[in-house]
Amino acid sequence: MQITVDTGSCVASGQCVLLAPGTFDQDEDDGTVVLLAPEPPEGEREAVRQAELTCPAAAIRLSGA
Ligand code: SF4
């Protein structure tokens, strides 16, 4: 699984960080998503899928298995 994020679309809702804190963080200044791990830790894969589905800005894209 490979993750890409579109920081230009991100609306800083923080949902992804709540779901998968080992994979996503938020910028200290504007709250937009910061990708910590382009390949998520094994234990966070399902949470990352949830983040993709629930991101209000559709700013998270997944590719690969
Ligand atoms: S859930 Fe989407 S809009 Fe919210 S911080 Fe994460 S990437 Fe940005």
Side-chain angles (χ1 to χ4, degrees), residues 16 19-21 24 43-54:
C16 57
L19 284 163
F24 303 105
E44 280 200 354
R45 285 175 168 227
E46 190 50 44
V48 168
R49 288 192 186 95
Q50 285 300 315
E52 181 203 25
L53 292 173
T54 58

Side-chain angles (χ1 to χ4, degrees), residues 32-50:
T32 56
V33 65
V34 174
L35 186 59
L36 299 175
E39 289 188 48
E42 190 67 35
E44 280 200 354
R45 285 175 168 227
E46 190 50 44
V48 168
R49 288 192 186 95
Q50 285 300 315

Side-chain angles (χ1 to χ4, degrees), residues 10-16 33 55-57 59-60:
C10 174
V11 296
S13 70
Q15 229 155 319
C16 57
V33 65
C55 172
I60 300 169

